[in-house]
Amino acid sequence: MLALGLAACTSPGSGTSGSGSDAGGGSGAEGLPDTLRIMSIRALTGPVSFAGLNAQKGIDLAIAQIEADGLLGETTIEVDSRDSASSPQEAASFASQAIADPSYVAIVGPEASAQATAVSPIVDQQGMPTVYVQAGSEGVVIGDYTFRITPPAASYFDLAGDYAEQQGVTTASVLFNSGNPTLVQLGQEVVPELAAEHGFEVLSTGGVEATQQDFTTPASSIAGEDPDAAFLMVQGPQYPVAITQLRQAGYDGELIGMSAAGAGNLSSAGEGAAGFVWPTNFTAEQDVESTRTFVEAYREEYDGEEPNNYAAEAYDAMWFLARGIAEAGSTDRAAVQEGLAAVAGEGFDGAQGEITFEGNDARVPGVLVRWDGSAEVPVEAGS
């Protein structure tokens, strides 16, 4: 475990949503054991490992702060990280192992929607509190025991519609990753809805394979249509190639994406991706006090490294769990679920800013960012 020694006032997630449990005699807070265990099911290898590895850093930072803060008395948190790679079956198997072992209090669920939708029916039926990072598709938050700390992209994606309207967009083409449920939803449902609301016409909608890295054909097709804007709903590592090949095909219109374009995924495209915009739930440069506090702590812990949305979301997930456990004053799974529901009912300020919930599903205002050729920066209203 890390040992940052950060005071409560410096932790964006510090404090509980209600009375919680006070530090009492013995090693843990009253009703809590000396150590509590949480299973974290992450993609630490495979095509979306960039998300899992960054999430792990956010989890580690949060644990250090929670323990230094004293939220759980002297109780320590042990996180058992399991690598689900790209396998829904593996993720479901890990969840079943956690359920069968009474020492596990809760699960931090996998980022990939395909894995999350395999896990959710199991944990909800068996009463295991599970908090997801990412996993933005339907079929993830399905009952009392499933929570999601990453707001679905669709919940703040209207920022992209506002931007398109401000830029005078009248026509658009859409390209989406057909292997990712969240990206399919954005491409086939959300963008067309934005078109109707913001007065532009969708000329075409096309899908690409989950791991595709050659976009020559769809890039040529979009360039031939010459829309005012191209919406790219693909996975992070696909963005540099897709943008580069669109520009090489002669397309010079607006390029709009989603949060997977962040986390440094555009670095390899450099100036070639300059001007690319996307709505996101978090950027390190957003002007929110709780975000600034998190960013400063993260930079200090990781030698000046800039946190991305995956780290911020996992950090918030771990604080959410700790607050729920403190609210429960117990590691009984049913009590923890009730504690999490109470925290969700009140909301809290975290790395992502002001977090509220619709049921068990988090919401944030969101922010529009632009890649300037070397970094992502917030887009000023109207620009």
Side-chain angles (χ1 to χ4, degrees), residues 80-92:
D80 180 9
S81 296
R82 302 295 183 94
D83 182 12
S84 57
S86 56
S87 170
Q89 293 79 14
E90 194 84 336

Side-chain angles (χ1 to χ4, degrees), residues 18 23 32 74 94 96-97 107 180 196 205 213 229 253 257-258 307 329 335 381:
L32 297 180
E74 295 182 18
F94 288 142
S96 295
Q97 291 173 37
I107 293 173
N180 183 301
T205 301
Q213 281 295 316
M258 56 88 65

Side-chain angles (χ1 to χ4, degrees), residues 12-20 71-72 131 147 149 316-329 335-350 355-362:
S14 62
T16 65
S17 64
S19 59
L71 175 61
L72 302 176
V131 179
F147 298 82
I149 201 68
D316 286 340
M318 189 54 62
W319 266 104
F320 179 46
L321 271 171
R323 289 163 68 93
I325 293 167
E327 182 77 19
V336 170
Q337 182 277 326
E338 292 177 359
L340 289 170
V343 175
E346 294 188 12
F348 63 96
D349 292 338
I355 303 172
T356 58
F357 287 79
E358 290 188 9
N360 289 1
D361 214 6

Side-chain angles (χ1 to χ4, degrees), residues 150-175:
T150 303
S155 70
Y156 56 82
F157 209 76
D158 195 59
L159 292 169
D162 293 339
Y163 176 79
E165 186 172 348
Q166 291 164 5
Q167 301 307 308
V169 170
T170 60
T171 56
S173 300
V174 182
L175 190 67

Side-chain angles (χ1 to χ4, degrees), residues 37-57:
R37 300 182 74 197
I38 294 170
M39 182 179 285
S40 173
I41 304 174
R42 309 254 67 76
L44 301 176
T45 58
V48 294
S49 61
F50 62 90
L53 294 171
N54 280 283
Q56 190 62 52
K57 291 181 178 180

Side-chain angles (χ1 to χ4, degrees), residues 43-300:
L44 301 176
T45 58
V48 294
S49 61
F50 62 90
L53 294 171
N54 280 283
Q56 190 62 52
K57 291 181 178 180
I59 288 171
D60 290 342
L61 176 59
I63 289 172
Q65 291 185 347
I66 291 162
E67 293 180 354
D69 179 78
L71 175 61
L72 302 176
E74 295 182 18
T75 294
T76 59
I77 302 171
E78 177 186 325
V79 175
D80 180 9
S81 296
R82 302 295 183 94
D83 182 12
S84 57
S86 56
S87 170
Q89 293 79 14
E90 194 84 336
S93 175
F94 288 142
S96 295
Q97 291 173 37
I99 291 166
D101 187 337
S103 70
Y104 288 105
V105 178
I107 293 173
V108 178
E111 301 95 339
S113 291
Q115 295 181 33
T117 53
V119 167
S120 283
I122 300 171
V123 297
D124 203 66
Q125 183 179 26
Q126 297 298 320
M128 170 62 87
T130 301
V131 179
Y132 290 99
V133 173
Q134 292 290 309
S137 74
E138 296 180 358
V140 175
V141 181
I142 61 171
D144 292 342
Y145 284 84
T146 49
F147 298 82
R148 181 165 46 200
I149 201 68
T150 303
S155 70
Y156 56 82
F157 209 76
D158 195 59
L159 292 169
D162 293 339
Y163 176 79
E165 186 172 348
Q166 291 164 5
Q167 301 307 308
V169 170
T170 60
T171 56
S173 300
V174 182
L175 190 67
F176 65 92
N177 183 309
S178 59
N180 183 301
T182 298
L183 301 177
V184 171
Q185 180 190 17
L186 289 172
Q188 293 188 327
E189 299 176 20
V190 176
V191 175
E193 289 171 1
L194 291 184
E197 294 171 10
H198 294 276
F200 61 89
E201 176 190 0
V202 174
L203 301 178
S204 67
T205 301
V208 296
E209 297 298 319
T211 58
Q212 188 166 326
Q213 281 295 316
D214 182 358
F215 299 88
T216 304
T217 298
S220 177
S221 176
I222 290 173
E225 292 171 346
D226 194 26
D228 295 329
F231 285 80
L232 304 182
M233 306 293 110
V234 296
Q235 294 192 142
Q238 293 177 312
Y239 270 110
V241 181
I243 293 170
T244 298
Q245 292 185 342
L246 267 168
R247 294 307 192 202
Q248 289 174 343
Y251 179 70
D252 60 2
E254 292 282 348
L255 288 175
I256 302 173
M258 56 88 65
S259 59
N265 280 311
L266 296 184
S267 296
S268 61
E271 288 292 336
F276 187 83
V277 301
W278 67 94
T280 184
N281 56 309
F282 168 86
T283 182
E285 300 303 320
Q286 64 193 54
D287 189 20
V288 180
E289 182 178 357
S290 58
T291 299
R292 291 195 300 269
T293 302
F294 161 71
V295 171
E296 289 169 6
Y298 190 94
R299 287 171 177 164
E300 180 179 351

